[in-house]
Amino acid sequence: EPLYFLHGVLVPAYVVIHPDQITAAAVIAERNAEVARVMLEQMTTERFMDEADAAVLHADVDGAGQSRRLLSVVMPSLRSGRVVVVEVTCPSTGHRHLLPVPPELSRCDEAVAWTYGVDVKFYHPAVER
């Protein structure tokens, strides 16, 4: 029987052959953190967070009037114990983006500032687009 690897990680065959069959439940139940990470990449963060019914940790509105949410899903295989993303919407395209952030962040503004490598105290954009 053939072996399947993605990014050097041995994964179940369906993860490579039928990534559309990966479920959030399977990712959450996966005990090996590297396998779970690869499954999540194949599945896409967007589909994972939707399927996993992510908890909303915080919600606000950015300077352009777009809503933001800080979302979390429990992941026992990860050292941190959860996956956390900040959900932002591009004001020009309306596309939703989920940006991974450290699990210790608790507010949307902190999370967005972190994605720019800036402390929230110094993140005050004049214009957000």
mmCIF file of all heavy atoms in Angstrom, residues 28-73:
data_model
loop_
_atom_site.group_PDB
_atom_site.id
_atom_site.type_symbol
_atom_site.label_atom_id
_atom_site.label_comp_id
_atom_site.label_asym_id
_atom_site.label_seq_id
_atom_site.Cartn_x
_atom_site.Cartn_y
_atom_site.Cartn_z
ATOM 1 N N ILE A 28 -9.574 18.027 14.613
ATOM 2 C CA ILE A 28 -9.593 18.204 16.067
ATOM 3 C C ILE A 28 -9.229 16.905 16.783
ATOM 4 O O ILE A 28 -8.508 16.914 17.780
ATOM 5 C CB ILE A 28 -10.961 18.739 16.528
ATOM 6 C CG1 ILE A 28 -11.151 20.172 16.017
ATOM 7 C CG2 ILE A 28 -11.110 18.672 18.040
ATOM 8 C CD1 ILE A 28 -12.562 20.698 16.131
ATOM 9 N N ALA A 29 -9.705 15.779 16.263
ATOM 10 C CA ALA A 29 -9.451 14.482 16.897
ATOM 11 C C ALA A 29 -8.039 13.959 16.647
ATOM 12 O O ALA A 29 -7.577 13.086 17.386
ATOM 13 C CB ALA A 29 -10.474 13.455 16.402
ATOM 14 N N GLU A 30 -7.348 14.494 15.636
ATOM 15 C CA GLU A 30 -6.005 14.010 15.305
ATOM 16 C C GLU A 30 -5.052 14.282 16.470
ATOM 17 O O GLU A 30 -4.901 15.407 16.909
ATOM 18 C CB GLU A 30 -5.494 14.700 14.032
ATOM 19 C CG GLU A 30 -4.081 14.321 13.642
ATOM 20 C CD GLU A 30 -3.851 12.832 13.498
ATOM 21 O OE1 GLU A 30 -4.612 12.184 12.741
ATOM 22 O OE2 GLU A 30 -2.918 12.324 14.149
ATOM 23 N N ARG A 31 -4.402 13.221 16.943
ATOM 24 C CA ARG A 31 -3.528 13.338 18.116
ATOM 25 C C ARG A 31 -2.138 13.858 17.761
ATOM 26 O O ARG A 31 -1.445 14.402 18.611
ATOM 27 C CB ARG A 31 -3.425 11.999 18.817
ATOM 28 C CG ARG A 31 -4.785 11.550 19.367
ATOM 29 C CD ARG A 31 -4.657 10.227 20.031
ATOM 30 N NE ARG A 31 -3.776 10.358 21.188
ATOM 31 C CZ ARG A 31 -4.119 10.074 22.421
ATOM 32 N NH1 ARG A 31 -5.306 9.616 22.654
ATOM 33 N NH2 ARG A 31 -3.273 10.223 23.405
ATOM 34 N N ASN A 32 -1.718 13.668 16.517
ATOM 35 C CA ASN A 32 -0.402 14.122 16.080
ATOM 36 C C ASN A 32 -0.522 15.559 15.582
ATOM 37 O O ASN A 32 -1.206 15.827 14.588
ATOM 38 C CB ASN A 32 0.122 13.202 14.984
ATOM 39 C CG ASN A 32 1.505 13.579 14.512
ATOM 40 O OD1 ASN A 32 1.742 14.705 14.090
ATOM 41 N ND2 ASN A 32 2.412 12.623 14.569
ATOM 42 N N ALA A 33 0.139 16.499 16.246
ATOM 43 C CA ALA A 33 0.015 17.925 15.911
ATOM 44 C C ALA A 33 0.468 18.225 14.483
ATOM 45 O O ALA A 33 -0.135 19.064 13.803
ATOM 46 C CB ALA A 33 0.800 18.771 16.905
ATOM 47 N N GLU A 34 1.507 17.558 13.999
ATOM 48 C CA GLU A 34 1.983 17.817 12.634
ATOM 49 C C GLU A 34 0.977 17.320 11.599
ATOM 50 O O GLU A 34 0.736 17.994 10.594
ATOM 51 C CB GLU A 34 3.354 17.174 12.405
ATOM 52 C CG GLU A 34 4.492 17.978 12.984
ATOM 53 C CD GLU A 34 4.568 19.379 12.389
ATOM 54 O OE1 GLU A 34 4.775 19.518 11.179
ATOM 55 O OE2 GLU A 34 4.415 20.345 13.159
ATOM 56 N N VAL A 35 0.407 16.170 11.835
ATOM 57 C CA VAL A 35 -0.621 15.653 10.921
ATOM 58 C C VAL A 35 -1.831 16.588 10.944
ATOM 59 O O VAL A 35 -2.373 16.941 9.891
ATOM 60 C CB VAL A 35 -1.020 14.202 11.277
ATOM 61 C CG1 VAL A 35 -2.199 13.739 10.424
ATOM 62 C CG2 VAL A 35 0.169 13.264 11.089
ATOM 63 N N ALA A 36 -2.235 17.035 12.128
ATOM 64 C CA ALA A 36 -3.363 17.965 12.234
ATOM 65 C C ALA A 36 -3.066 19.258 11.485
ATOM 66 O O ALA A 36 -3.933 19.802 10.797
ATOM 67 C CB ALA A 36 -3.677 18.255 13.698
ATOM 68 N N ARG A 37 -1.837 19.761 11.598
ATOM 69 C CA ARG A 37 -1.449 20.993 10.901
ATOM 70 C C ARG A 37 -1.568 20.832 9.385
ATOM 71 O O ARG A 37 -2.131 21.686 8.699
ATOM 72 C CB ARG A 37 -0.014 21.385 11.278
ATOM 73 C CG ARG A 37 0.481 22.650 10.573
ATOM 74 C CD ARG A 37 1.961 22.897 10.838
ATOM 75 N NE ARG A 37 2.824 21.818 10.399
ATOM 76 C CZ ARG A 37 3.204 21.613 9.143
ATOM 77 N NH1 ARG A 37 2.766 22.405 8.183
ATOM 78 N NH2 ARG A 37 4.008 20.609 8.829
ATOM 79 N N VAL A 38 -1.072 19.708 8.865
ATOM 80 C CA VAL A 38 -1.146 19.465 7.422
ATOM 81 C C VAL A 38 -2.602 19.295 6.977
ATOM 82 O O VAL A 38 -3.008 19.817 5.938
ATOM 83 C CB VAL A 38 -0.283 18.246 7.026
ATOM 84 C CG1 VAL A 38 -0.507 17.861 5.571
ATOM 85 C CG2 VAL A 38 1.193 18.546 7.273
ATOM 86 N N MET A 39 -3.389 18.588 7.780
ATOM 87 C CA MET A 39 -4.809 18.424 7.450
ATOM 88 C C MET A 39 -5.503 19.785 7.396
ATOM 89 O O MET A 39 -6.292 20.049 6.489
ATOM 90 C CB MET A 39 -5.497 17.515 8.479
ATOM 91 C CG MET A 39 -5.057 16.072 8.417
ATOM 92 S SD MET A 39 -5.690 15.088 9.797
ATOM 93 C CE MET A 39 -7.416 14.910 9.334
ATOM 94 N N LEU A 40 -5.189 20.636 8.357
ATOM 95 C CA LEU A 40 -5.776 21.972 8.406
ATOM 96 C C LEU A 40 -5.383 22.787 7.179
ATOM 97 O O LEU A 40 -6.216 23.475 6.582
ATOM 98 C CB LEU A 40 -5.344 22.684 9.693
ATOM 99 C CG LEU A 40 -5.873 24.074 9.945
ATOM 100 C CD1 LEU A 40 -7.397 24.087 9.980
ATOM 101 C CD2 LEU A 40 -5.317 24.610 11.249
ATOM 102 N N GLU A 41 -4.120 22.695 6.770
ATOM 103 C CA GLU A 41 -3.668 23.391 5.557
ATOM 104 C C GLU A 41 -4.438 22.905 4.332
ATOM 105 O O GLU A 41 -4.860 23.704 3.507
ATOM 106 C CB GLU A 41 -2.175 23.173 5.324
ATOM 107 C CG GLU A 41 -1.279 23.958 6.227
ATOM 108 C CD GLU A 41 0.187 23.638 5.996
ATOM 109 O OE1 GLU A 41 0.525 22.906 5.045
ATOM 110 O OE2 GLU A 41 1.010 24.133 6.790
ATOM 111 N N GLN A 42 -4.598 21.596 4.226
ATOM 112 C CA GLN A 42 -5.321 21.021 3.085
ATOM 113 C C GLN A 42 -6.793 21.423 3.094
ATOM 114 O O GLN A 42 -7.391 21.664 2.058
ATOM 115 C CB GLN A 42 -5.217 19.492 3.095
ATOM 116 C CG GLN A 42 -3.880 18.940 2.702
ATOM 117 C CD GLN A 42 -3.582 19.193 1.249
ATOM 118 O OE1 GLN A 42 -2.916 20.152 0.904
ATOM 119 N NE2 GLN A 42 -4.081 18.339 0.390
ATOM 120 N N MET A 43 -7.356 21.490 4.282
ATOM 121 C CA MET A 43 -8.778 21.788 4.427
ATOM 122 C C MET A 43 -9.074 23.264 4.212
ATOM 123 O O MET A 43 -10.155 23.618 3.770
ATOM 124 C CB MET A 43 -9.209 21.366 5.834
ATOM 125 C CG MET A 43 -10.650 21.608 6.126
ATOM 126 S SD MET A 43 -11.035 21.085 7.798
ATOM 127 C CE MET A 43 -12.800 21.067 7.663
ATOM 128 N N THR A 44 -8.163 24.120 4.533
ATOM 129 C CA THR A 44 -8.208 25.586 4.576
ATOM 130 C C THR A 44 -8.761 26.041 5.922
ATOM 131 O O THR A 44 -9.680 25.428 6.478
ATOM 132 C CB THR A 44 -8.995 26.283 3.449
ATOM 133 O OG1 THR A 44 -10.388 26.157 3.671
ATOM 134 C CG2 THR A 44 -8.596 25.779 2.069
ATOM 135 N N THR A 45 -8.154 27.081 6.420
ATOM 136 C CA THR A 45 -8.558 27.635 7.713
ATOM 137 C C THR A 45 -10.007 28.091 7.676
ATOM 138 O O THR A 45 -10.752 27.902 8.638
ATOM 139 C CB THR A 45 -7.643 28.810 8.093
ATOM 140 O OG1 THR A 45 -6.290 28.349 8.091
ATOM 141 C CG2 THR A 45 -7.979 29.359 9.467
ATOM 142 N N GLU A 46 -10.419 28.672 6.553
ATOM 143 C CA GLU A 46 -11.784 29.185 6.443
ATOM 144 C C GLU A 46 -12.811 28.076 6.632
ATOM 145 O O GLU A 46 -13.738 28.191 7.428
ATOM 146 C CB GLU A 46 -11.996 29.872 5.088
ATOM 147 C CG GLU A 46 -11.262 31.178 4.938
ATOM 148 C CD GLU A 46 -9.784 31.028 4.583
ATOM 149 O OE1 GLU A 46 -9.321 29.883 4.321
ATOM 150 O OE2 GLU A 46 -9.086 32.048 4.604
ATOM 151 N N ARG A 47 -12.629 26.972 5.906
ATOM 152 C CA ARG A 47 -13.580 25.865 6.013
ATOM 153 C C ARG A 47 -13.526 25.227 7.392
ATOM 154 O O ARG A 47 -14.561 24.893 7.982
ATOM 155 C CB ARG A 47 -13.305 24.825 4.914
ATOM 156 C CG ARG A 47 -14.390 23.764 4.820
ATOM 157 C CD ARG A 47 -14.356 23.005 3.512
ATOM 158 N NE ARG A 47 -13.248 22.114 3.353
ATOM 159 C CZ ARG A 47 -13.212 20.836 3.750
ATOM 160 N NH1 ARG A 47 -14.250 20.308 4.379
ATOM 161 N NH2 ARG A 47 -12.152 20.098 3.538
ATOM 162 N N PHE A 48 -12.312 25.106 7.943
ATOM 163 C CA PHE A 48 -12.164 24.532 9.274
ATOM 164 C C PHE A 48 -12.920 25.350 10.314
ATOM 165 O O PHE A 48 -13.695 24.809 11.100
ATOM 166 C CB PHE A 48 -10.682 24.437 9.656
ATOM 167 C CG PHE A 48 -10.459 23.992 11.062
ATOM 168 C CD1 PHE A 48 -10.597 22.657 11.408
ATOM 169 C CD2 PHE A 48 -10.116 24.904 12.048
ATOM 170 C CE1 PHE A 48 -10.402 22.239 12.725
ATOM 171 C CE2 PHE A 48 -9.913 24.501 13.357
ATOM 172 C CZ PHE A 48 -10.057 23.166 13.694
ATOM 173 N N MET A 49 -12.715 26.661 10.333
ATOM 174 C CA MET A 49 -13.354 27.509 11.345
ATOM 175 C C MET A 49 -14.876 27.501 11.183
ATOM 176 O O MET A 49 -15.604 27.507 12.169
ATOM 177 C CB MET A 49 -12.813 28.937 11.287
ATOM 178 C CG MET A 49 -11.328 29.037 11.621
ATOM 179 S SD MET A 49 -10.853 28.295 13.187
ATOM 180 C CE MET A 49 -10.982 29.690 14.283
ATOM 181 N N ASP A 50 -15.362 27.467 9.955
ATOM 182 C CA ASP A 50 -16.808 27.396 9.720
ATOM 183 C C ASP A 50 -17.382 26.076 10.236
ATOM 184 O O ASP A 50 -18.384 26.060 10.951
ATOM 185 C CB ASP A 50 -17.127 27.545 8.228
ATOM 186 C CG ASP A 50 -16.945 28.964 7.719
ATOM 187 O OD1 ASP A 50 -16.886 29.902 8.535
ATOM 188 O OD2 ASP A 50 -16.859 29.130 6.485
ATOM 189 N N GLU A 51 -16.736 24.967 9.857
ATOM 190 C CA GLU A 51 -17.224 23.641 10.249
ATOM 191 C C GLU A 51 -17.103 23.389 11.745
ATOM 192 O O GLU A 51 -17.934 22.692 12.331
ATOM 193 C CB GLU A 51 -16.425 22.543 9.529
ATOM 194 C CG GLU A 51 -17.070 22.015 8.318
ATOM 195 C CD GLU A 51 -16.318 20.804 7.772
ATOM 196 O OE1 GLU A 51 -15.934 19.898 8.544
ATOM 197 O OE2 GLU A 51 -16.135 20.779 6.551
ATOM 198 N N ALA A 52 -16.054 23.923 12.345
ATOM 199 C CA ALA A 52 -15.789 23.651 13.765
ATOM 200 C C ALA A 52 -16.647 24.507 14.680
ATOM 201 O O ALA A 52 -16.585 24.361 15.888
ATOM 202 C CB ALA A 52 -14.316 23.888 14.072
ATOM 203 N N ASP A 53 -17.446 25.389 14.105
ATOM 204 C CA ASP A 53 -18.306 26.267 14.898
ATOM 205 C C ASP A 53 -17.472 27.001 15.944
ATOM 206 O O ASP A 53 -17.687 26.883 17.151
ATOM 207 C CB ASP A 53 -19.429 25.459 15.558
ATOM 208 C CG ASP A 53 -20.549 26.354 16.066
ATOM 209 O OD1 ASP A 53 -20.716 27.468 15.520
ATOM 210 O OD2 ASP A 53 -21.240 25.947 17.006
ATOM 211 N N ALA A 54 -16.503 27.760 15.449
ATOM 212 C CA ALA A 54 -15.544 28.465 16.297
ATOM 213 C C ALA A 54 -16.232 29.391 17.296
ATOM 214 O O ALA A 54 -17.242 30.017 16.984
ATOM 215 C CB ALA A 54 -14.592 29.270 15.415
ATOM 216 N N ALA A 55 -15.652 29.468 18.473
ATOM 217 C CA ALA A 55 -16.144 30.375 19.509
ATOM 218 C C ALA A 55 -15.663 31.787 19.202
ATOM 219 O O ALA A 55 -14.519 31.982 18.790
ATOM 220 C CB ALA A 55 -15.621 29.942 20.870
ATOM 221 N N VAL A 56 -16.523 32.762 19.395
ATOM 222 C CA VAL A 56 -16.151 34.160 19.199
ATOM 223 C C VAL A 56 -15.611 34.687 20.526
ATOM 224 O O VAL A 56 -16.335 34.753 21.515
ATOM 225 C CB VAL A 56 -17.353 35.010 18.731
ATOM 226 C CG1 VAL A 56 -16.956 36.470 18.585
ATOM 227 C CG2 VAL A 56 -17.923 34.468 17.426
ATOM 228 N N LEU A 57 -14.324 35.026 20.542
ATOM 229 C CA LEU A 57 -13.685 35.534 21.747
ATOM 230 C C LEU A 57 -13.895 37.037 21.901
ATOM 231 O O LEU A 57 -13.948 37.551 23.010
ATOM 232 C CB LEU A 57 -12.184 35.244 21.725
ATOM 233 C CG LEU A 57 -11.771 33.782 21.599
ATOM 234 C CD1 LEU A 57 -10.260 33.671 21.494
ATOM 235 C CD2 LEU A 57 -12.299 32.986 22.786
ATOM 236 N N HIS A 58 -13.983 37.729 20.767
ATOM 237 C CA HIS A 58 -14.134 39.190 20.786
ATOM 238 C C HIS A 58 -14.630 39.615 19.404
ATOM 239 O O HIS A 58 -14.362 38.961 18.409
ATOM 240 C CB HIS A 58 -12.782 39.848 21.090
ATOM 241 C CG HIS A 58 -12.849 41.342 21.200
ATOM 242 N ND1 HIS A 58 -12.287 42.173 20.268
ATOM 243 C CD2 HIS A 58 -13.412 42.138 22.143
ATOM 244 C CE1 HIS A 58 -12.488 43.438 20.635
ATOM 245 N NE2 HIS A 58 -13.171 43.435 21.760
ATOM 246 N N ALA A 59 -15.353 40.700 19.352
ATOM 247 C CA ALA A 59 -15.816 41.268 18.079
ATOM 248 C C ALA A 59 -15.769 42.782 18.185
ATOM 249 O O ALA A 59 -16.015 43.336 19.258
ATOM 250 C CB ALA A 59 -17.232 40.796 17.759
ATOM 251 N N ASP A 60 -15.424 43.428 17.083
ATOM 252 C CA ASP A 60 -15.438 44.883 17.037
ATOM 253 C C ASP A 60 -15.540 45.343 15.584
ATOM 254 O O ASP A 60 -15.805 44.535 14.698
ATOM 255 C CB ASP A 60 -14.221 45.489 17.760
ATOM 256 C CG ASP A 60 -12.885 45.258 17.050
ATOM 257 O OD1 ASP A 60 -12.861 44.722 15.933
ATOM 258 O OD2 ASP A 60 -11.856 45.623 17.640
ATOM 259 N N VAL A 61 -15.319 46.614 15.357
ATOM 260 C CA VAL A 61 -15.377 47.201 14.021
ATOM 261 C C VAL A 61 -14.076 47.963 13.808
ATOM 262 O O VAL A 61 -13.627 48.692 14.707
ATOM 263 C CB VAL A 61 -16.593 48.153 13.895
ATOM 264 C CG1 VAL A 61 -16.612 48.846 12.543
ATOM 265 C CG2 VAL A 61 -17.886 47.376 14.114
ATOM 266 N N ASP A 62 -13.473 47.804 12.626
ATOM 267 C CA ASP A 62 -12.212 48.501 12.358
ATOM 268 C C ASP A 62 -12.467 49.943 11.918
ATOM 269 O O ASP A 62 -13.618 50.386 11.834
ATOM 270 C CB ASP A 62 -11.364 47.736 11.335
ATOM 271 C CG ASP A 62 -11.950 47.711 9.925
ATOM 272 O OD1 ASP A 62 -12.844 48.523 9.609
ATOM 273 O OD2 ASP A 62 -11.496 46.884 9.123
ATOM 274 N N GLY A 63 -11.401 50.664 11.627
ATOM 275 C CA GLY A 63 -11.495 52.065 11.254
ATOM 276 C C GLY A 63 -12.222 52.311 9.949
ATOM 277 O O GLY A 63 -12.664 53.430 9.676
ATOM 278 N N ALA A 64 -12.371 51.286 9.125
ATOM 279 C CA ALA A 64 -13.082 51.415 7.851
ATOM 280 C C ALA A 64 -14.548 50.987 7.979
ATOM 281 O O ALA A 64 -15.266 50.915 6.994
ATOM 282 C CB ALA A 64 -12.390 50.580 6.772
ATOM 283 N N GLY A 65 -14.958 50.656 9.220
ATOM 284 C CA GLY A 65 -16.343 50.259 9.442
ATOM 285 C C GLY A 65 -16.621 48.787 9.174
ATOM 286 O O GLY A 65 -17.776 48.369 9.162
ATOM 287 N N GLN A 66 -15.570 47.992 8.979
ATOM 288 C CA GLN A 66 -15.719 46.553 8.721
ATOM 289 C C GLN A 66 -15.692 45.794 10.044
ATOM 290 O O GLN A 66 -14.869 46.072 10.917
ATOM 291 C CB GLN A 66 -14.583 46.044 7.824
ATOM 292 C CG GLN A 66 -14.496 46.724 6.479
ATOM 293 C CD GLN A 66 -15.684 46.391 5.602
ATOM 294 O OE1 GLN A 66 -16.182 45.270 5.611
ATOM 295 N NE2 GLN A 66 -16.145 47.365 4.837
ATOM 296 N N SER A 67 -16.573 44.818 10.177
ATOM 297 C CA SER A 67 -16.589 44.028 11.409
ATOM 298 C C SER A 67 -15.399 43.076 11.449
ATOM 299 O O SER A 67 -14.904 42.633 10.412
ATOM 300 C CB SER A 67 -17.898 43.254 11.534
ATOM 301 O OG SER A 67 -18.009 42.336 10.476
ATOM 302 N N ARG A 68 -14.932 42.794 12.659
ATOM 303 C CA ARG A 68 -13.842 41.847 12.893
ATOM 304 C C ARG A 68 -14.264 40.923 14.016
ATOM 305 O O ARG A 68 -15.040 41.311 14.895
ATOM 306 C CB ARG A 68 -12.558 42.559 13.340
ATOM 307 C CG ARG A 68 -12.059 43.602 12.402
ATOM 308 C CD ARG A 68 -10.732 44.168 12.846
ATOM 309 N NE ARG A 68 -10.832 45.005 14.035
ATOM 310 C CZ ARG A 68 -9.939 45.931 14.367
ATOM 311 N NH1 ARG A 68 -8.871 46.129 13.624
ATOM 312 N NH2 ARG A 68 -10.089 46.646 15.465
ATOM 313 N N ARG A 69 -13.733 39.688 13.975
ATOM 314 C CA ARG A 69 -13.987 38.740 15.061
ATOM 315 C C ARG A 69 -12.705 37.985 15.376
ATOM 316 O O ARG A 69 -11.954 37.630 14.468
ATOM 317 C CB ARG A 69 -15.079 37.740 14.677
ATOM 318 C CG ARG A 69 -16.418 38.367 14.416
ATOM 319 C CD ARG A 69 -17.523 37.360 14.201
ATOM 320 N NE ARG A 69 -17.183 36.388 13.164
ATOM 321 C CZ ARG A 69 -17.793 35.208 13.009
ATOM 322 N NH1 ARG A 69 -18.779 34.863 13.828
ATOM 323 N NH2 ARG A 69 -17.445 34.383 12.057
ATOM 324 N N LEU A 70 -12.488 37.722 16.646
ATOM 325 C CA LEU A 70 -11.407 36.858 17.090
ATOM 326 C C LEU A 70 -12.049 35.513 17.387
ATOM 327 O O LEU A 70 -12.950 35.426 18.232
ATOM 328 C CB LEU A 70 -10.739 37.444 18.337
ATOM 329 C CG LEU A 70 -9.425 36.798 18.763
ATOM 330 C CD1 LEU A 70 -8.349 36.979 17.695
ATOM 331 C CD2 LEU A 70 -8.964 37.381 20.097
ATOM 332 N N LEU A 71 -11.636 34.478 16.670
ATOM 333 C CA LEU A 71 -12.267 33.158 16.734
ATOM 334 C C LEU A 71 -11.304 32.122 17.296
ATOM 335 O O LEU A 71 -10.098 32.192 17.059
ATOM 336 C CB LEU A 71 -12.704 32.725 15.333
ATOM 337 C CG LEU A 71 -13.618 33.685 14.574
ATOM 338 C CD1 LEU A 71 -13.773 33.248 13.131
ATOM 339 C CD2 LEU A 71 -14.962 33.771 15.263
ATOM 340 N N SER A 72 -11.861 31.141 18.002
ATOM 341 C CA SER A 72 -11.045 30.105 18.620
ATOM 342 C C SER A 72 -11.713 28.742 18.484
ATOM 343 O O SER A 72 -12.932 28.629 18.596
ATOM 344 C CB SER A 72 -10.868 30.434 20.107
ATOM 345 O OG SER A 72 -10.187 29.397 20.773
ATOM 346 N N VAL A 73 -10.876 27.716 18.268
ATOM 347 C CA VAL A 73 -11.334 26.327 18.241
ATOM 348 C C VAL A 73 -10.379 25.516 19.108
ATOM 349 O O VAL A 73 -9.156 25.632 18.976
ATOM 350 C CB VAL A 73 -11.354 25.745 16.808
ATOM 351 C CG1 VAL A 73 -11.643 24.254 16.821
ATOM 352 C CG2 VAL A 73 -12.363 26.471 15.942
#
